[in-house]
Amino acid sequence: MMKHGKTVQKRHNNIYGLFMIMAVFFVSAFFLTGCGEDNVSSSDIIKVYYLDGAGEKLVAEDYTLKSKKNDINAVIDELIKALEKNGEKDRLISPIEPDIEFDDYLIKDKQVSLFFTGAYNNKTGITEVLSRAAIVKTLCQIDEIEKIDFFVEDQPLMVQGESIGQMDESTFVVDLGDRGEPQSRMVRLYFGDKTGEKLVPVDTLVTYPAAEKMAKLLVDCLIAGPEKITDVDVSGLVRTVPAKTVLNSVTIRDNICYLDLGRQFVELLPNVTSDVTVYSIVNTLCELPGISGVQFTIDSGVRERYGESEGFNRALERNLDIVSGES
């Protein structure tokens, strides 16, 4: 009996020991899994954008945030530091190069203003556009950020004499192509019907340089007129904007497109109403994401009327009542 009792006790000791080993294993696995570096939430992954080695296109690289996402200042600081370094073992070029000194930023109502020193103006052409796109596309992944604008020496960034204004991911409508090669996109333009009293929407494919601003491109298409459209039937449609109109500048801020046109624009067309002219531009630009209204100026001056159209001195919103088949 005593011999049998010792055997049972030994068996119990073996089972107890095995249990303890398994318990230690599972506890260790829990801590290794819970606290290990491999346990990264997908929400902590941000794509940081760089220029490729030739400086000809954007390349995204996955980056794991170390800061808590609810600490927006810490997240911005961390991403700015990531953008200041080259990516993929120095094979990708930083959009904020060492000689382009980042100065500060200001957050207000989901908008971030980035401040750079005067050295930023040394960036030109496709390199500047790609660098700006890389910064904007990186930071706009933060939930609390919807718009970004650039300032150089406390002044709004100017490119070719035009203020860039606020930007978001939709500002850069394509992943900018190699060497700034032409890109293509479907757009909606509004031209006049044969009576000159209604607008007709036209969906057409446009080809443009990668660095072109979409708002400027669309206005240029309206100035060129329907006769320049070749991929769809535009017979019976008429131009809505005087052919000699000069586009002085276009700036987008707070969802308003500020459009400054030359004095040629006030030479009214005889075959369309002034409302058709005005809203061909307004409706076309309001097709772009981030634009809900258009504010006109003529050679930087504000006018209360355009022909018979009143309220020309305020931001005008899309008007579907003037579109054929919409009323």
Side-chain angles (χ1 to χ4, degrees):
M1 294 291 294
M2 289 296 293
K3 185 176 181 180
H4 177 69
K6 288 181 180 179
T7 303
V8 172
Q9 182 179 3
K10 185 175 181 180
R11 184 179 300 146
H12 285 177
N13 289 341
N14 289 341
I15 295 174
Y16 177 79
L18 180 61
F19 172 81
M20 291 301 295
I21 291 173
M22 293 177 66
V24 170
F25 172 81
F26 284 116
V27 169
S28 299
F30 172 81
F31 279 105
L32 286 172
T33 303
C35 300
E37 294 182 357
D38 292 334
N39 185 37
V40 177
S41 170
S42 59
S43 65
D44 294 331
I45 303 296
I46 293 282
K47 288 192 178 297
V48 175
Y49 286 84
Y50 302 92
L51 282 68
D52 73 337
E56 298 172 347
K57 61 182 179 180
L58 294 183
V59 179
E61 187 173 79
D62 286 343
Y63 176 86
T64 304
L65 280 175
K66 301 177 181 64
S67 305
K68 294 182 178 180
K69 294 195 75 174
N70 60 357
D71 188 345
I72 185 172
N73 292 95
V75 172
I76 292 175
D77 288 336
E78 185 177 340
L79 290 178
I80 289 294
K81 289 180 181 178
L83 289 165
E84 289 177 331
K85 300 176 182 178
N86 290 336
E88 196 185 357
K89 299 180 181 179
D90 285 338
R91 286 194 290 269
L92 302 178
I93 302 173
S94 160
I96 308 177
E97 300 156 297
D99 58 330
I100 307 299
E101 185 179 349
F102 173 74
D103 195 21
D104 201 359
Y105 63 87
L106 177 66
I107 307 172
K108 183 180 179 182
D109 299 330
K110 292 194 173 184
Q111 300 174 11
V112 176
S113 298
L114 303 178
F115 296 86
F116 296 87
T117 62
Y120 185 94
N121 288 327
N122 294 331
K123 282 182 173 287
T124 58
I126 193 65
T127 300
E128 189 279 326
V129 175
L130 286 170
S131 298
R132 181 156 38 91
I135 297 168
V136 171
K137 288 168 76 70
T138 297
L139 296 182
C140 277
Q141 294 171 77
I142 303 173
D143 292 338
E144 292 80 3
I145 296 179
E146 294 180 354
K147 300 286 184 180
I148 296 175
D149 51 8
F150 282 37
F151 289 81
V152 178
E153 296 293 346
D154 294 328
Q155 298 299 316
L157 174 64
M158 305 287 289
V159 174
Q160 296 180 346
E162 295 185 10
S163 175
I164 294 300
Q166 293 177 327
M167 299 165 284
D168 56 25
E169 288 180 294
S170 67
T171 303
F172 306 94
V173 294
V174 292
D175 290 331
L176 300 172
D178 295 352
R179 300 182 185 276
E181 291 177 354
Q183 310 294 310
S184 296
R185 177 186 175 178
M186 290 297 296
V187 299
R188 173 163 289 188
L189 306 172
Y190 287 84
F191 293 109
D193 68 359
K194 60 183 179 181
T195 70
E197 297 179 351
K198 288 284 188 177
L199 290 172
V200 177
V202 175
D203 295 326
T204 182
L205 184 69
V206 294
T207 302
Y208 55 96
E212 182 75 272
K213 296 171 68 172
M214 283 304 302
K216 179 181 184 302
L217 172 71
L218 296 186
V219 176
D220 285 341
C221 288
L222 292 176
I223 294 173
E227 56 268 29
K228 297 296 183 180
I229 305 296
T230 59
D231 60 329
V232 292
D233 182 12
V234 292
S235 59
L237 299 185
V238 299
R239 72 164 42 251
T240 56
V241 179
K244 295 183 179 179
T245 298
V246 174
L247 174 56
N248 294 329
S249 67
V250 55
T251 303
I252 301 170
R253 182 174 294 276
D254 297 327
N255 297 319
I256 302 298
C257 180
Y258 294 89
L259 197 65
D260 187 52
L261 301 173
R263 65 183 183 277
Q264 305 87 351
F265 181 68
V266 300
E267 299 174 3
L268 303 179
L269 294 173
N271 58 337
V272 297
T273 67
S274 53
D275 273 355
V276 163
T277 294
V278 169
Y279 285 102
S280 70
I281 298 175
V282 174
N283 286 8
T284 295
L285 290 176
C286 284
E287 292 288 340
L288 293 177
I291 296 180
S292 59
V294 178
Q295 172 75 68
F296 289 91
T297 51
I298 305 300
D299 285 335
S300 301
V302 177
R303 299 188 178 213
E304 293 186 2
R305 298 171 60 93
Y306 177 79
E308 297 179 355
S309 302
E310 298 182 351
F312 193 65
N313 58 338
R314 58 182 172 82
L316 301 174
E317 299 180 350
R318 186 197 312 259
N319 179 0
L320 295 180
D321 291 337
I322 201 172
V323 178
S324 179
E326 294 287 344
S327 57

